[in-house]
């Protein structure tokens, strides 16, 4: 049986003071052995703080981006091995904000995915369609293309060592959550597509949903057979909300 995972993506939010309050609340409420499966993805400058507060708890942490290069003259970039130095287990790759705002295409996402795994990190591979793509009826084609780019570089074996996050772009930060049925349909498509390559990988792959998940809608989303938790943006910044979402994933 797949374990549900909930990851908070803080995006470009936080301060040392705010983070301290939030992280300490998470450790108090979620940091016990029985509540594993909760992850915090913080901005780079705060990873040392996250490591300091979460070490010794069952909470894991990660980053929101990574270089496709291992090291070298790449001003402003952060390598996967640097993330490991700060105790990261995970990194988000291919988030739609990076695809749309920073020109990350399928090939660069695939390269970052491979670099993360080569260093020992677990990527959250984000896939998802825009509203225009959904309305044009090409949702599955878009997500299939995004998955194929990673499969071409890392293979089904690589996907088997990752987490996939389905995030419809039209549901991110908009308050418009995909209905449980809409989300389930895409999750089932992803699992069926990968099952053609490897049934075992497809059956054990954790596929998260992301897009306006809140405490109020998390349980219904997570009850769908192919939804294995969530990638949470805004609600991950509010301790009570994130704690309730993590608890919803624990059933
Ligand atoms: O990575 C998280 C997603 O972009 C969802 O963000 P949101 O929960 O604020 O809609």
């Amino acid at each position: 049986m797949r374990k549900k995972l909930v990851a908070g993506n803080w995006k470009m939010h936080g301060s040392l003071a705010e983070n301290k309050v939030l992280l300490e609340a998470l450790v108090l409420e979620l940091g016990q052995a029985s509540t594993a499966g909760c992850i915090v993805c913080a901005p780079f400058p705060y990873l040392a703080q996250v490591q300091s507060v979460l070490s010794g708890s069952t909470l894991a942490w990660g980053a929101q981006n990574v270089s496709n290069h291992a090291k070298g003259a790449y001003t402003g970039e952060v390598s996967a091995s640097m993330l490991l130095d700060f105790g990261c287990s995970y990194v988000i790759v291919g988030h739609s904000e990076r695809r749309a705002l920073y020109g990350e295409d399928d090939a660069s996402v695939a390269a970052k995915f491979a670099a993360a795994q080569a260093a020992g990190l677990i990527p959250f591979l984000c896939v998802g369609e825009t509203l225009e793509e959904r309305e044009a009826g090409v949702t599955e084609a878009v997500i299939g293309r995004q998955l194929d780019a990673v499969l071409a570089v890392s293979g089904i074996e690589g996907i088997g060592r990752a987490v996939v996050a389905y995030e419809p772009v039209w549901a991110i930060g908009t308050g418009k959550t995909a209905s449980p049925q809409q989300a389930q349909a895409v999750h089932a498509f992803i699992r069926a597509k990968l099952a053609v390559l490897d049934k075992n990988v497809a059956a054990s792959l954790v596929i998260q949903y992301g897009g306006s998940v809140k405490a109020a809608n998390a349980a219904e989303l997570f009850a769908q057979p192919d939804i294995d938790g969530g990638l949470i943006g805004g609600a991950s910044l509010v301790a009570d909300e994130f704690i309730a979402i993590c608890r919803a994933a624990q059933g």
Side-chain angles (χ1 to χ4, degrees):
M1 187 170 153
R2 296 183 298 272
K3 177 175 151 181
K4 286 187 168 53
L5 288 182
V6 174
N9 174 11
W10 288 0
K11 307 192 179 182
M12 199 172 74
H13 294 287
S15 67
L16 286 172
E18 290 168 352
N19 303 346
K20 181 173 187 296
V21 173
L22 175 56
L23 290 166
E24 287 178 353
L26 300 185
V27 170
L28 187 67
E29 297 294 331
L30 301 171
Q32 306 302 314
S34 59
T35 57
C38 296
I39 299 143
V40 170
C41 294
F44 293 137
Y46 298 130
L47 290 174
Q49 180 192 27
V50 171
Q51 179 180 36
S52 165
V53 180
L54 298 188
S55 286
S57 79
T58 56
L59 290 146
W61 58 96
Q64 302 169 15
N65 188 21
V66 65
S67 174
N68 58 316
H69 299 288
K71 62 161 67 173
Y74 302 105
T75 301
E77 291 289 285
V78 172
S79 72
S81 65
M82 293 172 185
L83 300 181
L84 286 170
D85 275 346
F86 289 91
C88 291
S89 305
Y90 296 88
V91 65
I92 298 169
V93 299
H95 192 283
S96 62
E97 287 154 13
R98 298 225 47 96
R99 292 180 192 259
L101 303 175
Y102 299 98
E104 293 193 12
D105 59 13
D106 290 337
S108 68
V109 171
K112 288 180 177 209
F113 182 101
Q117 286 196 327
L121 292 170
I122 300 172
F124 291 112
L125 171 64
C126 298
V127 297
E129 82 288 1
T130 63
L131 184 59
E132 293 69 29
E133 289 164 341
R134 173 162 283 262
E135 288 177 347
V138 295
T139 296
E140 292 186 359
V142 168
I143 290 165
R145 189 202 74 221
Q146 291 169 336
L147 289 170
D148 284 341
V150 173
L151 286 165
V153 174
S154 299
I156 187 68
E157 184 272 336
I159 292 284
R161 292 185 289 114
V163 174
V164 171
Y166 167 56
E167 298 207 316
V169 178
W170 47 273
I172 294 175
T174 60
K176 286 187 201 162
T177 318
S179 71
Q181 295 70 29
Q182 283 175 317
Q184 165 59 27
V186 177
H187 283 234
F189 162 74
I190 293 169
R191 210 177 295 286
K193 174 181 169 62
L194 298 174
V196 173
L197 299 173
D198 189 316
K199 283 192 172 53
N200 293 331
V201 165
S204 59
L205 180 70
V206 171
I207 308 177
Q208 298 173 311
Y209 168 78
S212 298
V213 178
K214 309 266 182 276
N217 60 24
E220 198 185 358
L221 285 160
F222 299 167
Q224 300 301 309
D226 289 295
I227 300 183
D228 307 315
L231 184 54
I232 319 300
S236 73
L237 300 168
V238 182
D240 289 350
E241 280 282 313
F242 190 62
I243 290 162
I245 293 167
C246 289
R247 291 199 172 128
Q250 287 148 10

